[in-house]
Amino acid sequence: MERILAVIDRPFFLDGLELDVGASMGIALYPRDADDVPTLVLRADVALDNAKESSNRYAFYEPERDGSDPGRLTLVSGLRAAIEADELTLDFLPTFDLRSGAIVSAEALVRWRHPDRGLLHPAHFLGTASEARQTPALTRWVLDSALRECRAWHDRGWRLPVAVNVDLRSLLDESFVDEIELALNRNGIESELLELEITEETLLTDPERVAAVVTRLSEYGVKVALDDFGSGLSSLAHLQGLPIDGLKIDRSLGARLGTDPTVKPIVGSILSLGNTLGLRVVATGIETRTALRAVAAAKCRFGQGFLLAEPLPSDEFMLVLDYTHQHKPDAVATGAASPLGVGIGGLGALQQGIGGRRA
Ligand code: MG
């Protein structure tokens, strides 16, 4: 392990650029930790999470540190059955224009109504790096369900884009773009109302193939945003010439902005990069008033986070849309005076009225 890390620690040169690359390793041992390959790989994954969360660069699998959730392994394997049994559902997390308070899009987030364990979030059944581990079957389900919902908004007079998180394997599948096209046609949705979110990590895994797919998607009119941006290695070199439409600043940065002085310059440079490239930059993870104030002070126009609105089940999200529609003129007028707008405060009040706790 030490030897592998030492090799990776040496600088890499790519097109004349010196790159500092780090690595984390998770280790599971046969037959101590598991005696079949899928379980062994999943346990190595759990160990990898532990290595990343601690300051150690590698970690052995320890059952007592297993994802605080010993049932996760059976959950992963049960996911396909859950799709067939219709146990999955979507919540919608709105992105706001912080100037006007208007909702500009909604991200579809999957939930599993598990018969024995209650409502589960992706981190419970996919692990902490949940989007990276999402499977193509799940992506396909989310995509189709999200577009159906988008259709329902449409039918109610709302032309609101829906955002879907896409995993690497789906993105690199030959038939992916065709499938997107079919799904859009099936639901009668214009391509520009679909936004696909791919993580920075995905982009870095196979930059050339990802760029080819993103180019095809963009030609077809589908929007693409880079998610969790700023979380990992700098991928600035890969951004060049990549026809993306948006950057979503990693939620760990959004949450720390306003309290951690080292974060401010990072966010500032992401914003100016986004402005230069003409991208929509969204601050995510806005969970405190301090963070919201800092996001507004940094002149980041778009935001997402539990302080603004929690992810809502589709029926409640529809109520919020109707509400903002009714109150829009006031929200815009007042929003002009305050960068945070009155629409958002109204939304918070509305949510407390109609929703319970939905952490
Ligand atoms: Mg996302």
Side-chain angles (χ1 to χ4, degrees):
M1 251 66 73
E2 300 283 1
R3 269 159 49 210
I4 293 171
L5 286 169
V7 171
I8 293 174
D9 275 342
R10 283 193 224 125
F12 284 83
F13 290 91
L14 189 69
D15 291 339
L17 277 179
E18 184 178 331
L19 298 179
D20 256 329
V21 181
S24 302
M25 287 190 256
I27 305 136
L29 297 174
Y30 170 89
R32 189 192 75 176
D33 297 328
D35 54 10
D36 65 281
V37 173
T39 314
L40 207 54
V41 171
L42 285 165
R43 297 213 151 136
D45 248 6
V46 171
L48 177 64
D49 282 346
N50 289 336
K52 284 182 173 169
E53 279 160 18
S54 69
S55 52
N56 297 329
R57 303 183 62 191
Y58 60 87
F60 287 90
Y61 176 75
E62 294 170 54
E64 55 277 12
R65 293 185 67 198
D66 188 348
S68 64
D69 193 351
R72 201 180 104 198
L73 298 181
T74 47
L75 286 175
V76 172
S77 50
L79 194 54
R80 190 173 285 271
I83 294 176
E84 272 156 32
D86 207 16
E87 288 170 2
L88 300 187
T89 169
L90 290 180
D91 278 356
F92 293 89
L93 179 62
T95 292
F96 291 91
D97 180 333
L98 298 175
R99 280 189 211 161
S100 65
I103 294 175
V104 293
S105 74
E107 179 177 358
L109 299 172
V110 68
R111 310 294 185 226
W112 183 352
R113 294 192 191 285
H114 195 278
D116 306 323
R117 306 186 55 188
L119 193 66
L120 301 176
H121 289 203
H124 296 135
F125 51 93
L126 297 174
T128 44
S130 46
E131 278 154 21
R133 292 201 193 117
Q134 196 169 308
T135 62
L138 183 58
T139 298
R140 209 171 302 128
W141 182 87
V142 173
L143 182 71
D144 219 43
S145 311
L147 286 175
R148 223 176 305 135
E149 197 56 34
C150 185
R151 179 74 245 167
W153 303 336
H154 225 277
D155 292 344
R156 195 127 155 174
W158 287 101
R159 202 174 168 281
L160 187 75
V162 71
V164 172
N165 296 292
V166 177
D167 68 295
L168 177 68
R169 269 195 291 157
S170 293
L171 199 67
L172 297 184
D173 190 308
E174 301 263 301
S175 59
F176 183 64
V177 182
D178 296 335
E179 268 184 44
I180 297 269
E181 206 171 330
L182 280 173
L184 284 165
N185 289 339
R186 197 163 47 235
N187 291 287
I189 302 287
E190 300 151 60
S191 53
E192 65 190 46
L193 289 183
L194 176 63
E195 182 168 299
L196 300 178
E197 296 187 4
I198 60 174
T199 60
E200 192 181 7
E201 197 184 351
T202 296
L203 176 64
L204 288 166
T205 310
D206 197 338
E208 279 175 30
R209 283 176 70 197
V210 168
V213 179
V214 170
T215 303
R216 273 191 69 198
L217 287 167
S218 136
E219 282 163 6
Y220 183 59
V222 170
K223 304 248 184 289
V224 179
L226 271 190
D227 208 0
D228 304 343
F229 191 77
S231 59
L233 302 160
S234 163
S235 50
L236 295 185
H238 301 297
L239 276 184
Q240 206 183 8
L242 195 71
I244 52 167
D245 305 276
L247 296 175
K248 294 184 76 174
I249 303 176
D250 189 58
R251 62 180 76 84
S252 70
L253 294 175
R256 275 153 57 213
L257 188 67
T259 51
D260 181 345
T262 62
V263 168
K264 200 176 157 192
I266 301 175
V267 170
S269 54
I270 294 175
L271 279 167
S272 64
L273 174 80
N275 286 339
T276 308
L277 299 175
L279 307 175
R280 171 193 284 179
V281 181
V282 180
T284 70
I286 302 176
E287 289 170 15
T288 60
R289 294 200 167 276
T290 314
L292 178 58
R293 244 177 269 128
V295 166
K299 297 209 165 38
C300 182
R301 179 159 175 191
F302 300 96
Q304 194 183 49
F306 289 4
L307 180 75
L308 307 175
E310 293 175 14
L312 291 169
S314 57
D315 52 340
E316 291 182 18
F317 183 70
M318 194 78 96
L319 285 179
V320 169
L321 283 182
D322 290 345
Y323 174 88
T324 49
H325 180 60
Q326 284 165 22
H327 290 75
K328 212 169 173 187
D330 291 339
V332 172
T334 322
S338 136
L340 308 182
V342 85
I344 294 168
L347 277 180
L350 177 74
Q351 270 189 259
Q352 278 169 13
I354 59 172
R357 287 262 66 80
R358 233 167 288 93

